[in-house]
Structure formats: structure tokens, C-alpha cells
Amino acid sequence: MLEDERVTAARNNAEWCGIVCGSHGLAGRTDADAWSVPHRSPQWYPDAVTLRPGVDAEALLTRIDAGPGASVKDSFADLDLSGYGFRVLFDAQWIHRPPSAPPVDTPLAPVTTPDGLAAWAAAHGGGELFRPALLADPRVRVLARHDDRGVIIGGAVLNGDGPYGVSNLFTRTDNSRDIWRAVCATVPNAPLVGYETTADLTPALSAGFTTTGPLRVWLHA
């Protein structure tokens, strides 16, 4: 069961990486082993995401520009890329939340215009990473929380069609749990998947997520 949830989460995350790369004009490739892009992905995004356990490391690296700056999301934490010039950038946990009870939190608001996306990206800190093409993709929902003055104080991205992947969650306050709960309230009738590093797990777990297994990101320094 957990293995299936990890495969689902990895595929969803690979889809999101492909969407972001596509918005930057980079075409990816997906097969049973992995999603990959042959040229360097945008900042914070991997050049490959494994989609099953036991992928051959050498074959995977032939699909990407494996020089300095390359990164690989090892979705099942079972690769050893240390012999190819890579080091572990971070370890994390896949997370999952089943459909929830009727929401008691206020859902996040959709971002629907290029100006709105620019304001969201500035609040997030990602700047030019997030391009207007994302708003035209039916698989993507960019979501925001505003304060009483209309200033963006948090947000997240959902991708997929259920389960939805949660990514790029942020808050300008001290409590990200509220944003996690608001994400759950936005799509209460669908399962949610994503991943977090150990340091950032607690707010997600307090919003009803559980861990389903480890992943690892490798970086060619």
C-alpha cells in the first residue's frame, strides 16, 4: 500500500517538474523508469525523477546533463550516485493525506492572472521561476492566502487531478500549519501527496498527512 502511494507521489511530482520545465521551454521524457530533461532544469528543480525502485543509475545519468549543477530526485532513496560525482543534497519523506471530512478551514484563493502570479511569486521568493504559462495548464492550481489588506501572506501549488500534489507551500507568518490546513480545505474530496524534509514535516503531519517513505535528492557539486 505504501509502495503504491510512493509511486503515485513520485509520478505526480515528476509531472509537476515536467510542467515547470515545459513553461521554460524544456521538453522532458517519461518512461517506466524516470522522468528526465536533457538540459539543465530551472533552479530548485531536478533533472530527473525516478518512478520505480531499482533504476539503473548509469543509464539514468545518460539521459541528463550530468555535469556540475545536475540534480536527481531519487524517489525511493535506493540509488548510489556518489561514484559519479554526486553528493546527497537532502533527504525527505513522501507524505499522503486521504480525502478529509468537510472542511472547517477557509480554502485558499486561486491565482488567475499574470499580475496575480507575479505578486504570488514575489511573496513566495521564486520570482521568474513561475511563468504565466502555468496559469493556462488545467493540471495546475496556484493558490494564495491574503491578509485583510489583500497582501499575499501564504500559498501553495496543486497539480494533478486527484490525487493532487502539494508543492511550493509557503507562509509569511510563523505558522505554516494554517496553510497546510487551508490546502486540505481547498480540495477536501481528493487525496493529497507531496514531500517534506524532516525539519518541515511537523506542520504537514498536524494537518493530517502521514509519511509513506523516504526520498533523496542528489546534487553534482
Side-chain angles (χ1 to χ4, degrees), residues 4-210:
D4 290 343
E5 290 173 354
R6 290 171 71 187
V7 169
T8 297
R11 290 190 174 278
N12 176 277
N13 186 256
E15 177 188 73
W16 170 239
C17 293
I19 290 169
V20 172
C21 286
S23 73
H24 286 255
L26 299 172
R29 165 190 167 192
T30 302
D31 60 20
D33 287 344
W35 168 87
S36 62
V37 66
H39 303 290
R40 185 69 72 245
S41 59
Q43 185 180 17
W44 303 322
Y45 281 78
D47 301 293
V49 180
T50 60
L51 300 178
R52 66 168 181 85
V55 169
D56 181 84
E58 190 166 346
L60 179 66
L61 294 180
T62 65
R63 297 169 52 161
I64 67 174
D65 174 356
S71 59
V72 172
K73 185 168 289 173
D74 175 7
S75 299
F76 303 89
D78 64 350
L79 296 179
D80 183 359
L81 301 183
S82 58
Y84 301 92
F86 286 74
R87 63 174 177 84
V88 176
L89 182 63
F90 64 83
D91 289 291
Q93 288 282 331
W94 292 112
I95 56 176
H96 172 266
R97 189 182 194 276
S100 61
V104 296
D105 298 272
T106 302
L108 298 176
V111 174
T112 59
T113 67
D115 286 347
L117 180 62
W120 184 95
H124 170 281
E128 294 297 319
L129 173 66
F130 301 100
R131 299 189 171 182
L134 296 176
L135 300 178
D137 194 312
R139 298 170 293 178
V140 176
R141 300 191 201 187
V142 181
L143 303 169
R145 169 160 283 177
H146 302 81
D147 66 14
D148 293 340
R149 300 169 297 162
V151 176
I152 295 174
I153 58 171
V157 173
L158 295 179
N159 75 281
D161 56 5
Y164 293 98
V166 184
S167 64
N168 293 282
L169 186 142
F170 72 97
T171 179
R172 309 287 284 187
T173 69
D174 293 330
N175 188 1
S176 60
R177 176 178 178 270
D178 290 344
I179 302 297
W180 280 105
R181 289 174 61 92
V183 168
C184 295
T186 303
V187 284
N189 297 318
L192 298 172
V193 295
Y195 74 89
E196 289 294 333
T197 61
T198 300
D200 296 321
L201 267 177
T202 300
L205 299 180
S206 69
F209 285 81
T210 58

